[in-house]
Amino acid sequence: MNHFRLILLTLIASAALVVSATQISKLFVRIKQERAISVKGYAEQGVRADAGTFSVTVGARGATASEALEVLKQRRDRVRETLRARGFAEAEIRVLTPSQRKVPRKDAQGRDSNEIEYFDLYQTITVESSSVERIYEAALDLPNLMSEDIDLTVSAPEFLISQMETLKRELLARATEDGFQRAMVMAQNSGGRVGELVSAQQGVFQITTPLSTETSSWGMYDTSTIEKTAKVVVTLEYAILPGAR
């Protein structure tokens, strides 16, 4: 009787081991099949700015506000005349409201008095155009008006990309394809194959000068040049499945 019970217990234990081994085997296969691989996808493209802008600030000084204003008008009109001569339309030229600064006369002790020594007036003219070459040339040429005793300051021109969202979508598509191809190579070399996309993370866009290696964790948008390079990196995670047998 005891011998029979011992045999029965042995059979039950063996069956349990078989079931346990089967479950472990299935778990191992499932874990093996759920392995994932993380890859970077990269894309870059040369782009040309299709919009530009810069500003000109004209200054004038006079003993009275009206005297300063008269000088300011003459200088402002001379700048506008130069811009029109360079081919800019009136719609591309915007004149902002002038600002005024009253400079008090100093007394014998060098302190400000209640009398006004002179008035300074400033007025800014902004130019926006799709003709980026015209923007570039005008920004270089306008400082020559200082030879006519015109007080002015010209800002550095900025060159922009108007279709930025379209550019981003194109680069993301190319970077994603690049990442997929990298995953394919790595999976095949390890005897596996690429499964479904598990996760995707978009990196920041970098718009830099041509041939620049500069990057920023917040992204970059260079506006100093007409020709630029747009770049983007994506991080992709794919499931890796066993290769075909």
Side-chain angles (χ1 to χ4, degrees):
M1 185 67 174
N2 290 337
H3 180 69
F4 176 76
R5 291 179 61 186
L6 179 62
I7 293 174
L8 181 60
L9 289 173
T10 302
L11 289 174
I12 293 173
S14 299
L17 286 173
V18 170
V19 171
S20 177
T22 301
Q23 294 299 323
I24 292 174
S25 176
K26 289 182 178 179
L27 178 62
F28 175 77
V29 171
R30 182 169 60 84
I31 292 174
K32 186 176 181 181
Q33 289 179 342
E34 290 178 355
R35 288 182 305 171
I37 185 172
S38 180
V39 294
K40 299 286 187 182
Y42 177 79
E44 72 171 50
Q45 178 178 325
V47 292
R48 180 179 174 84
D50 58 359
T53 182
F54 73 96
S55 64
V56 186
T57 300
V58 183
R61 175 172 295 179
T64 64
S66 59
E67 180 182 318
L69 182 58
E70 185 60 33
V71 175
L72 182 69
K73 286 181 179 178
Q74 295 174 3
R75 293 177 175 178
R76 178 196 64 202
D77 291 345
R78 182 71 180 94
V79 170
R80 293 179 67 185
E81 175 189 337
T82 302
L83 291 172
R84 288 194 296 267
R86 283 203 158 272
F88 291 106
E90 283 294 335
E92 298 175 315
I93 304 170
R94 186 161 63 101
V95 181
L96 306 184
T97 303
S99 61
Q100 175 182 276
R101 183 172 71 99
K102 299 177 182 179
V103 181
R105 180 176 285 112
K106 302 291 184 181
D107 61 20
Q109 287 73 40
R111 295 173 299 189
D112 292 346
S113 69
N114 294 327
E115 298 180 13
I116 301 301
E117 180 75 19
Y118 54 81
F119 292 81
D120 281 337
L121 294 181
Y122 301 94
Q123 192 162 28
T124 298
I125 302 170
T126 63
V127 184
E128 298 179 2
S129 175
S130 59
S131 178
V132 291
E133 293 291 351
R134 188 178 297 157
I135 289 285
Y136 175 78
E137 293 169 359
L140 287 179
D141 179 59
L142 280 172
N144 292 327
L145 291 178
M146 288 188 289
S147 65
E148 301 179 21
D149 197 28
I150 296 179
D151 178 15
L152 59 79
T153 302
V154 181
S155 72
E158 294 185 343
F159 302 103
L160 310 169
I161 302 167
S162 63
Q163 301 298 318
M164 181 64 76
E165 291 307 313
T166 300
L167 174 63
K168 286 181 178 180
R169 287 192 292 270
E170 292 174 353
L171 283 178
L172 280 174
R174 289 171 50 192
T176 302
E177 175 62 22
D178 178 66
F180 177 71
Q181 294 299 326
R182 291 170 188 258
M184 290 275 287
V185 171
M186 296 174 69
Q188 290 171 0
N189 288 340
S190 62
R193 56 190 174 89
V194 177
E196 65 180 8
L197 180 65
V198 176
S199 67
Q201 182 178 359
Q202 173 189 316
V204 295
F205 281 84
Q206 313 283 347
I207 309 294
T208 69
T209 57
L211 305 180
S212 172
T213 58
E214 188 177 3
T215 59
S216 168
S217 59
W218 299 101
M220 297 185 64
Y221 189 174
D222 174 78
T223 61
S224 66
T225 60
I226 295 175
E227 303 296 336
K228 310 176 189 295
T229 300
K231 313 168 188 176
V232 69
V233 175
V234 296
T235 303
L236 308 171
E237 187 176 10
Y238 287 97
I240 297 300
L241 306 177
R245 296 183 182 277

